[in-house]
């Protein structure tokens, strides 16, 4: 007998005491044997002991062995039964097997046959047990997997919050109850402001940390019975059912704003974000969940349009704004294919000589229905959708090509400045695309200047330094646009690979009327020159502003005094054609005052 079968419980049933004793003596040294004289005694024992093997006579007084087998298997399905009988015919063996027996032994007993049968039976029991364990494990695994799949179908994988499907279902149920009980229900859509900047600067893993922590903070802002869900991206939704008045919603919105004031810890770096919240209230803003949700989206869109970090209740005209934005996005995608975007060019003038030294390319959208749209109407949307990449590359290529043509027509060395989105230089292949465009347009790299805002550079300073350094190695110039409106830190200028500082028009506008603005302009020009940077003043509109900037020895300027952004044909026809290319504004007094108010000067 094998060692692994030692101690396995065996029940011996036979009304012949001699047979019982013989089997017990044979098997007891290696097994835990129990012997009884009838099926009735066996059934009493089977209620308390689980035997691996039962060896039973067929013919006994009272319940027969054949009747006993199904009762044993009903109690313990994995028990193996071996029948004993003095009948030698095959019919009895077949009948025993049909009753559920595993094997059949005839009398008189051959002890070697008995040992072999017992060994086979116990091995079969082990197989049955393993099969049962496997089936049970498989069943549990299926239950767990099924539960997990069902959970994932209704919950967000990252935050484990309810997803949109579950939120909309709960919203429908809450509105039905509220309608019966005449209660208020509110939906709040919460979007994390500038979340894309976090992922673009620090990666998606950092974004996941912010989203997970944001989910935890939002859950602290609601009562028991309310729902916090994550829809997609940086958008969360709150279903608030314990509302008595709108003041409760204001309080919740302020609580959300407060909990987001604390920094998000990302390794050794702290990140600060705010929220834009749209609020829609049942029954005032819609009769069913789909309308309530749609109106919350419209309210949130207004909160974002107002600069973020605020909350807005739904108003009836918001849906029209949301629909208009969607229509604009759709037509923008079509506009890229149809090449509806065009560049206008604004002259840049050397203030010492009055010479036209370059221009800035400013994108416009020649919309087939709405006419010529300024960038303020679509750049924000292009940034949000990622379409700015295609638009920006188109403008860059177009501007380089146009400038090369002008250089061939007598304006050798004419520079072109092109605004670049932060998304562009965050692309891994930006430098390669830049080389390709310069090669295709045959423009000298030293005649191209890339303009970026302070904010776009400082959001990912390391990445910006790397990419801008690569551009400068090509000979391309780099300028900080709208200087003073972003981080307004002069100290970082010496650490950035830049050539030019463009002084924001708001400082230029007040330089001749506000002593503080004048002092700021003087400080910026002086520091920039000390760092060997060129200074270009934007938004120059009056002769007084021009005279002030020339006294400070500001290098260059652009603005309505010299010319507004013009279509390429108009710009070319207005170029001064004398050998020194002097701009007319410095020589002709009728151009020294511009009637356009400062508020109309936009790129």
């Amino acid at each position: 007998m094998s060692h692994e079968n030692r101690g396995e419980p065996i029940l011996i049933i036979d009304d012949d005491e001699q047979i019982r004793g013989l089997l017990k003596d044979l098997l007891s040294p290696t097994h835990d044997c129990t012997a009884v004289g009838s099926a009735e005694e066996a059934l009493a024992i089977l209620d308390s002991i689980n035997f691996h093997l039962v060896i039973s006579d067929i013919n006994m007084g009272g319940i027969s062995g054949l009747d006993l087998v199904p009762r044993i298997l009903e109690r313990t399905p994995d028990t193996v039964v071996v029948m004993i009988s003095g009948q030698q015919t095959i019919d009895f063996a077949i009948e025993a097997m049909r009753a559920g027996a595993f094997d059949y032994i005839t009398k008189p007993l051959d002890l070697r046959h008995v040992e072999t049968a017992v060994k086979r039976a116990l091995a079969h029991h082990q197989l049955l047990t393993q099969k049962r364990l496997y089936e049970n494990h498989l069943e549990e695994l299926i239950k767990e997997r099924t539960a997990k799949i069902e959970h994932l179908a209704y919950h967000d994988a990252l935050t484990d919050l309810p997803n949109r499907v579950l939120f909309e279902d709960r919203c429908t149920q809450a509105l039905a109850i509220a309608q019966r009980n005449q209660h208020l229900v509110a939906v709040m859509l919460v979007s994390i402001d500038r979340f894309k900047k976090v992922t673009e600067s620090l990666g998606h893993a950092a974004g996941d940390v912010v989203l997970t922590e944001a989910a935890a903070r939002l859950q602290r802002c609601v009562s028991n019975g309310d729902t916090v869900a994550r829809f997609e991206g940086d958008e969360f939704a709150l279903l608030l059912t314990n509302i008595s008045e709108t003041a409760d919603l204001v309080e919740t919105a302020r609580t959300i704003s407060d909990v987001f004031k604390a920094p998000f810890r990302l390794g050794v770096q702290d990140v600060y974000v705010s929220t834009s919240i749209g609020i829609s209230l049942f029954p005032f803003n819609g009769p069913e969940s789909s309308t309530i949700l749609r109106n919350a989206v419209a309210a949130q869109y207004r909160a974002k349009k107002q600069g973020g970090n605020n909350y807005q209740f739904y108003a009836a005209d918001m849906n029209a704004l949301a629909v208009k934005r969607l229509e604009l996005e759709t037509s923008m995608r079509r506009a890229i294919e149809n090449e509806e975007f065009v560049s206008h060019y604004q002259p840049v003038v050397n203030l010492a000589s009055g010479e036209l030294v370059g221009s800035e390319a400013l994108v416009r959208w020649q919309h087939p229905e709405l006419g010529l749209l300024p960038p303020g109407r679509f750049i924000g949307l292009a940034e949000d959708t990622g379409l700015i990449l295609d638009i920006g590359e188109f403008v860059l290529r177009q501007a380089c090509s146009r400038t090369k043509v002008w250089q061939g027509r007598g304006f050798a060395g004419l520079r072109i400045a092109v605004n670049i989105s932060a998304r562009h230089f965050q692309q891994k292949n930006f430098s390669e695309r830049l080389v390709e465009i310069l090669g295709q347009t045959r423009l000298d790299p030293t005649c191209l200047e890339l303009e970026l805002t302070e904010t776009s550079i400082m959001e990912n300073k390391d990445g910006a330094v790397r990419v801008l350094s690569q551009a400068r190695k090509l000979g391309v110039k780099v300028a900080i646009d709208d200087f003073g409106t972003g981080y307004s830190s002069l100290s970082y200028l010496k650490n950035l690979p830049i050539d030019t500082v463009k002084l924001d028009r708001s400082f230029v506008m007040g330089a001749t009327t506000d002593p503080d603005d004048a002092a700021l302009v003087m400080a910026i020009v002086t520091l920039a020159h000390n760092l060997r940077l060129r200074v270009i003043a934007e938004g120059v509109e009056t002769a007084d502003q021009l005279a002030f900037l020339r006294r400070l020895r500001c290098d260059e300027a652009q603005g309505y005094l010299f010319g507004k952004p013009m279509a390429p044909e108009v710009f070319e026809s207005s170029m001064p054609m004398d050998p020194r290319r002097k701009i007319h504004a410095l020589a002709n007094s009728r151009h020294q005052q511009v009637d356009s108010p400062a508020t109309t000067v936009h790129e």
Side-chain angles (χ1 to χ4, degrees):
M1 303 291 289
S2 62
H3 176 73
E4 60 268 24
N5 289 336
R6 185 176 300 277
E8 291 178 296
I10 298 176
L11 177 61
I12 300 168
I13 312 168
D14 200 302
D15 57 0
D16 185 330
E17 186 176 356
Q18 186 177 0
I19 296 295
R20 289 201 310 271
L22 177 64
L23 291 173
K24 189 170 183 181
D25 290 343
L26 175 66
L27 302 175
S28 289
T30 52
H31 301 285
D32 181 14
C33 295
T34 301
V36 296
S38 67
E40 288 78 6
E41 289 181 77
L43 289 173
I45 296 174
L46 286 166
D47 288 334
S48 57
I49 302 176
N50 184 6
F51 292 97
H52 292 186
L53 171 61
V54 174
I55 303 174
S56 176
D57 189 14
I58 291 181
N59 296 316
M60 298 179 290
I63 300 174
S64 72
L66 294 177
D67 293 332
L68 178 62
V69 174
R71 297 191 186 188
I72 294 173
L73 298 179
E74 183 179 355
R75 283 174 168 80
T76 53
D78 294 341
T79 298
V80 179
V81 180
V82 174
M83 304 301 295
I84 301 174
S85 176
Q87 303 293 331
Q88 301 290 328
T89 62
I90 191 67
D91 293 340
F92 281 89
I94 293 173
E95 193 172 355
M97 299 300 181
R98 285 177 175 169
F102 172 72
D103 206 348
Y104 182 85
I105 304 173
T106 59
K107 298 177 182 179
L109 298 177
D110 182 333
L111 296 184
R112 288 177 301 177
H113 186 193
V114 171
E115 286 182 334
T116 302
V118 168
K119 184 176 181 179
R120 288 175 47 231
L122 290 174
H124 185 65
H125 171 268
Q126 190 174 14
L127 288 174
L128 289 176
T129 303
Q130 291 174 347
K131 179 174 178 288
R132 183 78 57 192
L133 289 173
Y134 175 75
E135 289 175 346
N136 290 341
H137 174 70
L138 188 61
E139 185 177 352
E140 287 300 317
L141 190 62
I142 291 173
K143 288 181 180 178
E144 290 176 7
R145 294 289 174 85
T146 302
K148 187 174 183 179
I149 291 171
E150 289 178 351
H151 184 80
L152 288 174
Y154 297 104
H155 291 80
D156 173 56
L158 176 64
T159 63
D160 203 40
L161 292 178
N163 60 13
R164 179 187 287 270
V165 175
L166 182 55
F167 183 87
E168 291 179 352
D169 181 66
R170 290 185 181 179
C171 186
T172 299
Q173 295 179 31
L175 296 190
I177 295 172
Q179 191 165 23
R180 290 196 300 269
N181 300 335
Q182 300 295 304
H183 289 167
L184 300 177
V185 172
V187 168
M188 281 188 174
L189 288 187
V190 181
S191 178
I192 301 176
D193 298 330
R194 298 163 57 83
F195 178 73
K196 288 182 180 178
K197 302 298 184 184
V198 175
T199 57
E200 289 172 355
S201 303
L202 302 175
H204 289 287
D208 288 348
V209 173
V210 171
L211 291 172
T212 304
E213 174 63 20
R217 295 187 188 188
L218 288 172
Q219 286 177 299
R220 297 199 297 268
C221 298
V222 300
S223 306
N224 291 333
D226 293 335
T227 297
V228 178
R230 182 189 173 203
F231 279 8
E232 56 272 322
D234 62 356
E235 190 165 274
F236 295 85
L238 278 62
L239 178 63
L240 308 176
T241 56
N242 300 315
I243 304 297
S244 58
E245 55 184 351
T246 55
D248 297 337
L249 299 174
V250 172
E251 182 64 27
T252 301
R254 288 175 177 170
T255 300
I256 293 172
S257 178
D258 288 341
V259 300
F260 274 82
K261 287 179 180 177
F264 289 77
R265 191 72 177 172
L266 303 177
V268 297
Q269 184 170 356
D270 287 343
V271 171
Y272 293 84
V273 298
S274 56
T275 58
S276 296
I277 304 173
I279 306 171
S280 182
L281 190 63
F282 173 84
F284 305 116
N285 300 141
E288 74 282 322
S289 60
S290 60
T291 305
I292 293 294
L293 278 168
R294 186 170 65 249
N295 291 339
V297 170
Q300 185 193 65
Y301 174 62
R302 173 168 289 183
K304 288 182 178 180
K305 288 292 288 183
Q306 295 189 1
N309 195 23
N310 72 98
Y311 62 88
Q312 294 292 320
F313 284 85
Y314 172 74
D317 62 335
M318 291 183 183
N319 256 334
L321 291 175
V323 170
K324 186 175 295 185
R325 176 183 169 88
L326 182 61
E327 291 175 348
L328 195 64
E329 179 181 344
T330 302
S331 59
M332 182 184 293
R333 295 182 186 277
R334 187 173 59 249
I336 294 174
E337 299 174 3
N338 297 339
E339 297 187 355
E340 295 173 8
F341 291 99
V342 296
S343 294
H344 281 198
Y345 298 86
Q346 186 171 34
V348 177
V349 177
N350 182 297
L351 291 184
S353 65
E355 183 182 7
L356 175 69
V357 291
S359 66
E360 179 180 359
L362 302 165
V363 66
R364 302 288 188 266
W365 181 1
Q366 189 63 60
H367 196 284
E369 298 172 1
L370 303 177
L372 191 66
L373 300 181
R377 290 283 300 276
F378 60 86
I379 288 296
L381 180 59
E383 290 275 8
D384 291 343
T385 59
L387 295 174
I388 191 66
L389 295 174
D390 294 327
I391 296 172
E393 184 170 318
F394 176 78
V395 171
L396 179 60
R397 188 183 303 275
Q398 189 180 63
C400 290
S401 178
R402 179 70 65 175
T403 301
K404 181 63 177 176
V405 170
W406 287 333
Q407 289 177 348
R409 294 177 181 174
F411 285 82
L414 190 72
R415 297 197 322 265
I416 182 66
V418 180
N419 292 281
I420 298 296
S421 164
R423 281 178 172 262
H424 283 94
F425 67 82
Q426 287 168 0
Q427 285 186 303
K428 292 182 179 179
N429 66 339
F430 176 74
S431 297
E432 289 80 1
R433 300 295 294 155
L434 184 60
V435 170
E436 179 184 328
I437 291 173
L438 289 169
Q440 291 174 348
T441 60
R442 303 175 63 83
L443 181 70
D444 185 341
T446 61
C447 295
L448 172 63
E449 188 163 60
L450 302 180
E451 294 189 1
L452 304 101
T453 64
E454 294 176 77
T455 303
S456 65
I457 293 176
M458 298 307 293
E459 281 172 355
N460 183 8
K461 183 178 176 182
D462 292 339
V465 168
R466 183 182 66 257
V467 175
L468 296 180
S469 297
Q470 292 172 350
R472 292 185 80 216
K473 286 180 181 178
L474 298 173
V476 175
K477 301 294 188 295
V478 177
I480 293 184
D481 196 14
D482 299 335
F483 184 81
T485 61
Y487 287 79
S488 303
S489 172
L490 302 176
S491 61
Y492 73 78
L493 289 177
K494 63 181 180 180
N495 299 318
L496 291 177
I498 59 175
D499 303 278
T500 305
V501 170
K502 298 196 73 173
L503 190 61
D504 185 67
R505 58 171 46 86
S506 62
F507 296 120
V508 174
M509 190 185 310
T512 56
T513 57
D514 187 331
D516 291 338
D517 281 349
L520 280 172
V521 172
M522 292 175 63
I524 293 172
V525 172
T526 301
L527 178 62
H529 283 166
N530 288 340
L531 295 174
R532 296 181 295 279
L533 299 175
R534 190 169 76 250
V535 181
I536 300 178
E538 297 181 286
V540 180
E541 296 186 358
T542 69
D544 288 342
Q545 293 168 356
L546 174 62
F548 175 74
L549 292 167
R550 296 183 75 181
R551 284 197 300 270
L552 294 181
R553 300 188 182 279
C554 181
D555 300 288
E556 298 171 2
Q558 64 187 88
Y560 274 26
L561 184 64
F562 313 112
K564 63 178 65 178
M566 299 169 258
E569 299 80 10
V570 178
F571 181 85
E572 183 175 353
S573 65
S574 66
M575 283 184 182
M577 298 308 295
D578 63 275
R580 294 179 301 165
R581 298 184 304 187
K582 290 293 184 76
I583 199 75
H584 295 295
L586 298 181
N588 193 331
S589 59
R590 67 185 178 88
H591 289 287
Q592 291 183 352
Q593 186 71 38
V594 177
D595 294 332
S596 302
T599 53
T600 65
V601 183
H602 296 295
E603 294 180 346

